[in-house]
Protein backbone atom coordinates (compact mmCIF):
# COMPACT_ATOMS: atom_id res chain seq x y z
CA UNK A 1 0.00 0.00 0.00
CA UNK A 2 2.90 2.39 0.75
CA UNK A 3 5.26 1.14 -1.95
CA UNK A 4 7.94 3.67 -2.83
CA UNK A 5 7.20 6.05 0.04
CA UNK A 6 10.83 6.49 1.10
CA UNK A 7 11.97 7.08 -2.47
CA UNK A 8 9.16 9.58 -3.08
CA UNK A 9 9.84 11.44 0.16
CA UNK A 10 13.54 11.72 -0.69
CA UNK A 11 12.57 13.00 -4.16
CA UNK A 12 10.15 15.61 -2.74
CA UNK A 13 12.65 16.91 -0.20
CA UNK A 14 15.38 17.08 -2.84
CA UNK A 15 13.06 19.00 -5.17
CA UNK A 16 12.14 21.38 -2.35
CA UNK A 17 15.84 22.03 -1.84
CA UNK A 18 16.72 22.42 -5.52
CA UNK A 19 13.72 24.62 -6.26
CA UNK A 20 14.75 26.80 -3.28
CA UNK A 21 11.42 26.35 -1.49
CA UNK A 22 13.38 25.65 1.68
CA UNK A 23 15.36 28.86 1.15
CA UNK A 24 12.40 31.10 0.31
CA UNK A 25 10.16 29.82 3.10
CA UNK A 26 13.06 29.89 5.56
CA UNK A 27 13.99 33.49 4.72
CA UNK A 28 10.37 34.69 4.92
CA UNK A 29 9.80 33.13 8.33
CA UNK A 30 13.22 34.20 9.59
CA UNK A 31 12.36 37.81 8.76
CA UNK A 32 8.97 37.45 10.46
CA UNK A 33 10.67 36.08 13.54
CA UNK A 34 13.23 38.89 13.71
CA UNK A 35 10.84 41.77 13.18
CA UNK A 36 8.43 40.56 15.86
CA UNK A 37 10.42 41.52 18.99
CA UNK A 38 12.34 44.27 17.17
CA UNK A 39 9.10 45.90 16.04
CA UNK A 40 7.58 45.56 19.49
CA UNK A 41 10.61 47.26 21.00
CA UNK A 42 11.22 50.13 18.60
CA UNK A 43 7.88 50.84 16.88
CA UNK A 44 6.48 52.81 19.86
CA UNK A 45 9.62 54.95 19.93
CA UNK A 46 9.33 55.54 16.19
CA UNK A 47 5.68 56.58 16.51
CA UNK A 48 6.57 58.90 19.38
CA UNK A 49 9.34 60.49 17.35
CA UNK A 50 7.03 61.00 14.37
CA UNK A 51 4.39 62.52 16.63
CA UNK A 52 6.75 65.02 18.23
CA UNK A 53 7.91 66.12 14.79
CA UNK A 54 4.36 67.20 13.94
CA UNK A 55 3.14 70.38 15.59
CA UNK A 56 -0.01 69.95 17.63
CA UNK A 57 0.20 66.14 17.53
CA UNK A 58 0.66 64.25 20.76
CA UNK A 59 1.36 60.54 20.66
CA UNK A 60 1.05 58.60 23.89
CA UNK A 61 2.86 55.28 23.91
CA UNK A 62 3.33 52.74 26.65
CA UNK A 63 6.59 51.07 27.50
CA UNK A 64 6.81 47.86 25.45
CA UNK A 65 7.01 44.59 27.34
CA UNK A 66 7.64 40.95 26.53
CA UNK A 67 3.88 40.58 26.08
CA UNK A 68 4.09 42.94 23.11
CA UNK A 69 6.88 40.86 21.60
CA UNK A 70 4.77 37.71 21.91
CA UNK A 71 1.75 39.49 20.41
CA UNK A 72 3.84 40.55 17.43
CA UNK A 73 5.19 37.02 17.06
CA UNK A 74 1.66 35.64 16.90
CA UNK A 75 0.54 38.35 14.49
CA UNK A 76 3.48 37.96 12.13
CA UNK A 77 4.17 34.24 12.11
CA UNK A 78 0.60 32.98 12.48
CA UNK A 79 -1.07 35.87 10.67
CA UNK A 80 1.28 36.64 7.80
CA UNK A 81 2.60 33.09 7.72
CA UNK A 82 -0.84 31.78 6.74
CA UNK A 83 -0.30 33.14 3.23
CA UNK A 84 2.83 31.01 2.91
CA UNK A 85 0.83 28.02 4.15
CA UNK A 86 -1.85 28.65 1.53
CA UNK A 87 0.53 29.19 -1.39
CA UNK A 88 3.14 26.52 -0.68
CA UNK A 89 1.02 23.41 -1.47
CA UNK A 90 -0.88 24.83 -4.46
CA UNK A 91 1.06 22.96 -7.13
CA UNK A 92 2.00 19.90 -5.09
CA UNK A 93 -0.37 17.56 -6.95
CA UNK A 94 -2.18 19.81 -9.41
CA UNK A 95 0.93 20.78 -11.34
CA UNK A 96 2.03 17.16 -11.76
CA UNK A 97 -1.43 16.20 -13.02
CA UNK A 98 -1.47 19.19 -15.36
CA UNK A 99 1.97 18.33 -16.76
CA UNK A 100 1.24 14.60 -16.95
CA UNK A 101 4.17 13.65 -14.71
CA UNK A 102 1.91 12.14 -12.03
CA UNK A 103 0.80 9.31 -14.33
CA UNK A 104 4.43 8.68 -15.29
CA UNK A 105 5.58 8.45 -11.66
CA UNK A 106 2.72 6.11 -10.79
CA UNK A 107 3.74 3.66 -13.53
CA UNK A 108 6.76 2.98 -11.34
CA UNK A 109 6.44 0.82 -8.21
CA UNK A 110 4.96 3.79 -6.36
CA UNK A 111 1.46 3.62 -4.90
CA UNK A 112 -0.93 6.55 -4.88
CA UNK A 113 -0.84 6.53 -1.10
CA UNK A 114 2.93 6.92 -1.15
CA UNK A 115 2.70 9.63 -3.79
CA UNK A 116 0.32 11.75 -1.71
CA UNK A 117 1.81 10.95 1.69
CA UNK A 118 5.34 11.89 0.58
CA UNK A 119 4.15 15.20 -0.83
CA UNK A 120 2.12 16.03 2.29
CA UNK A 121 4.99 15.14 4.63
CA UNK A 122 7.53 17.10 2.58
CA UNK A 123 5.28 20.17 2.72
CA UNK A 124 5.01 19.72 6.48
CA UNK A 125 8.79 19.53 6.77
CA UNK A 126 9.26 22.78 4.79
CA UNK A 127 6.72 24.62 6.94
CA UNK A 128 8.25 23.19 10.12
CA UNK A 129 11.71 24.41 9.14
CA UNK A 130 10.31 27.87 8.43
CA UNK A 131 8.48 28.13 11.76
CA UNK A 132 11.54 26.75 13.57
CA UNK A 133 13.74 29.51 12.11
CA UNK A 134 11.17 32.16 13.06
CA UNK A 135 10.99 30.74 16.57
CA UNK A 136 14.76 30.72 17.08
CA UNK A 137 15.11 34.28 15.80
CA UNK A 138 12.17 35.59 17.82
CA UNK A 139 13.34 33.88 21.01
CA UNK A 140 16.86 35.27 20.68
CA UNK A 141 15.77 38.85 20.08
CA UNK A 142 13.03 38.69 22.71
CA UNK A 143 15.60 37.59 25.28
CA UNK A 144 18.00 40.28 24.07
CA UNK A 145 15.53 43.19 24.00
CA UNK A 146 13.16 42.15 26.79
CA UNK A 147 13.32 39.22 29.20
CA UNK A 148 14.07 35.57 28.45
CA UNK A 149 11.00 33.36 28.16
CA UNK A 150 11.12 29.74 29.37
CA UNK A 151 12.21 27.71 26.37
CA UNK A 152 9.51 25.08 26.87
CA UNK A 153 6.75 27.69 26.89
CA UNK A 154 8.02 29.34 23.73
CA UNK A 155 8.40 26.00 21.95
CA UNK A 156 4.84 25.11 22.94
CA UNK A 157 3.67 28.43 21.51
CA UNK A 158 5.52 27.75 18.25
CA UNK A 159 4.10 24.22 18.00
CA UNK A 160 0.54 25.53 18.25
CA UNK A 161 1.24 28.16 15.59
CA UNK A 162 2.71 25.49 13.33
CA UNK A 163 -0.38 23.33 13.78
CA UNK A 164 -2.64 26.24 12.82
CA UNK A 165 -0.61 26.78 9.63
CA UNK A 166 -0.71 23.07 8.79
CA UNK A 167 -4.51 23.16 8.95
CA UNK A 168 -4.67 25.78 6.21
CA UNK A 169 -1.93 24.11 4.19
CA UNK A 170 -3.85 20.83 4.28
CA UNK A 171 -6.89 22.45 2.66
CA UNK A 172 -4.81 23.92 -0.17
CA UNK A 173 -3.29 20.46 -0.53
CA UNK A 174 -6.84 19.10 -0.83
CA UNK A 175 -7.52 21.67 -3.54
CA UNK A 176 -4.35 20.59 -5.33
CA UNK A 177 -5.51 16.97 -5.25
CA UNK A 178 -9.00 17.89 -6.49
CA UNK A 179 -7.98 20.08 -9.42
CA UNK A 180 -5.37 20.43 -12.14
CA UNK A 181 -4.90 24.17 -11.63
CA UNK A 182 -2.68 25.53 -8.84
CA UNK A 183 -4.70 28.76 -8.68
CA UNK A 184 -7.88 26.76 -8.14
CA UNK A 185 -6.13 24.91 -5.33
CA UNK A 186 -5.26 28.22 -3.67
CA UNK A 187 -8.88 29.27 -4.09
CA UNK A 188 -10.07 26.21 -2.18
CA UNK A 189 -7.50 26.81 0.54
CA UNK A 190 -8.48 30.48 0.77
CA UNK A 191 -12.17 29.54 0.99
CA UNK A 192 -11.35 27.23 3.92
CA UNK A 193 -9.38 30.06 5.52
CA UNK A 194 -12.34 32.44 5.23
CA UNK A 195 -14.80 29.88 6.64
CA UNK A 196 -12.54 28.93 9.53
CA UNK A 197 -11.78 32.59 10.25
CA UNK A 198 -15.50 33.36 10.45
CA UNK A 199 -16.02 30.39 12.73
CA UNK A 200 -13.11 31.64 14.80
CA UNK A 201 -15.04 34.72 15.93
CA UNK A 202 -18.06 32.74 17.14
CA UNK A 203 -18.38 32.19 20.90
CA UNK A 204 -17.96 28.59 22.08
CA UNK A 205 -16.75 27.64 18.59
CA UNK A 206 -13.77 29.86 17.88
CA UNK A 207 -11.60 28.33 20.57
CA UNK A 208 -11.57 25.06 18.63
CA UNK A 209 -10.51 26.60 15.30
CA UNK A 210 -7.01 27.56 14.12
CA UNK A 211 -7.70 31.01 15.59
CA UNK A 212 -8.23 29.28 18.92
CA UNK A 213 -4.85 27.62 18.53
CA UNK A 214 -3.19 31.02 18.05
CA UNK A 215 -4.93 32.44 21.11
CA UNK A 216 -3.84 29.41 23.11
CA UNK A 217 -0.29 29.83 21.77
CA UNK A 218 -0.12 33.30 23.29
CA UNK A 219 -1.22 31.98 26.66
CA UNK A 220 1.24 29.09 26.54
CA UNK A 221 4.11 31.51 25.79
CA UNK A 222 3.23 33.36 28.98
CA UNK A 223 3.31 30.16 31.03
CA UNK A 224 -0.45 29.69 31.24
CA UNK A 225 -2.48 26.55 30.52
CA UNK A 226 -5.42 27.43 28.25
CA UNK A 227 -8.82 25.86 28.85
CA UNK A 228 -9.70 22.98 26.51
CA UNK A 229 -6.20 23.00 25.01
CA UNK A 230 -6.12 19.24 24.40
CA UNK A 231 -9.53 19.29 22.71
CA UNK A 232 -8.54 22.27 20.56
CA UNK A 233 -5.43 20.44 19.39
CA UNK A 234 -7.41 17.26 18.67
CA UNK A 235 -10.07 19.13 16.69
CA UNK A 236 -7.44 20.80 14.49
CA UNK A 237 -5.58 17.53 14.01
CA UNK A 238 -8.96 16.16 12.94
CA UNK A 239 -9.33 18.95 10.38
CA UNK A 240 -5.96 18.03 8.91
CA UNK A 241 -6.93 14.35 8.84
CA UNK A 242 -10.23 15.17 7.09
CA UNK A 243 -8.49 17.30 4.46
CA UNK A 244 -5.81 14.68 3.78
CA UNK A 245 -8.38 11.88 3.79
CA UNK A 246 -10.52 13.75 1.27
CA UNK A 247 -7.38 14.32 -0.82
CA UNK A 248 -6.78 10.58 -0.91
CA UNK A 249 -10.40 9.71 -1.71
CA UNK A 250 -10.43 12.13 -4.61
CA UNK A 251 -6.99 11.25 -5.96
CA UNK A 252 -7.59 7.51 -5.74
CA UNK A 253 -10.59 7.82 -8.10
CA UNK A 254 -9.02 10.08 -10.71
CA UNK A 255 -7.96 8.99 -14.17
CA UNK A 256 -4.45 10.26 -14.78
CA UNK A 257 -3.15 10.86 -18.27
CA UNK A 258 0.32 11.44 -19.59
CA UNK A 259 0.74 14.66 -21.52
CA UNK A 260 1.15 14.07 -25.23
Amino acid sequence: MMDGFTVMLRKELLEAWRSQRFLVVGVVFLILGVISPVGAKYLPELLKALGTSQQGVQVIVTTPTVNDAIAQFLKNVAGTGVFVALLLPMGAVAREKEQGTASFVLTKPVSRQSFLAAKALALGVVLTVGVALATIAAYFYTALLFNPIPVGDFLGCAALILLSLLVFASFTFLGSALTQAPLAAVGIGAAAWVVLSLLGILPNVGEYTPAGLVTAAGEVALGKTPDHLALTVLVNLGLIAVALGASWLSFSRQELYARA
Side-chain angles (χ1 to χ4, degrees), residues 52-115:
T52 55
S53 67
Q54 302 293 326
Q55 292 184 355
V57 177
Q58 182 179 9
V59 178
I60 300 175
V61 296
T62 59
T63 302
T65 66
V66 69
N67 291 17
D68 298 304
I70 293 172
Q72 286 297 316
F73 180 68
L74 298 176
K75 178 182 177 181
N76 291 330
V77 178
T80 305
V82 72
F83 296 105
V84 178
L86 290 172
L87 293 173
L88 186 62
M90 65 181 187
V93 184
R95 186 171 289 113
E96 294 215 29
K97 290 191 293 182
E98 182 184 32
Q99 296 174 347
T101 54
S103 62
F104 174 76
V105 170
L106 292 171
T107 60
K108 309 295 182 181
V110 175
S111 66
R112 294 197 180 202
Q113 293 99 320
S114 297
F115 182 84

Side-chain angles (χ1 to χ4, degrees), residues 143-220:
L144 183 66
L145 299 174
F146 298 96
N147 298 315
I149 301 173
V151 175
D153 293 340
F154 206 70
L155 288 178
C157 169
L160 293 174
I161 291 176
L162 174 61
L163 181 57
S164 73
L165 296 180
L166 289 174
V167 172
F168 296 118
S170 67
F171 280 99
T172 298
F173 188 81
L174 169 60
S176 189
L178 289 172
T179 70
Q180 292 189 14
L183 288 179
V186 173
I188 292 172
W193 172 52
V194 170
V195 171
L196 290 171
S197 297
L198 291 175
L199 291 174
I201 64 177
L202 296 177
N204 302 321
V205 175
E207 61 188 6
Y208 302 111
T209 65
L213 281 175
V214 177
T215 300
E219 295 181 33
V220 168

Side-chain angles (χ1 to χ4, degrees), residues 24-34 73 76-78 80-82 84-85 126-127 129-135 137 161 165:
V24 172
V25 172
V27 168
V28 169
F29 276 101
L30 185 62
I31 292 173
L32 293 175
V34 170
F73 180 68
N76 291 330
V77 178
T80 305
V82 72
V84 178
V126 175
L127 266 181
V129 169
V131 173
L133 290 173
T135 302
I161 291 176
L165 296 180

Side-chain angles (χ1 to χ4, degrees), residues 3-22:
D3 294 339
F5 172 75
T6 302
V7 174
M8 277 299 302
L9 179 59
R10 189 182 302 117
K11 166 186 170 294
E12 292 297 322
L13 292 175
L14 187 59
E15 285 185 2
W17 178 262
R18 288 177 174 173
S19 64
Q20 298 188 334
R21 286 198 294 273
F22 271 116

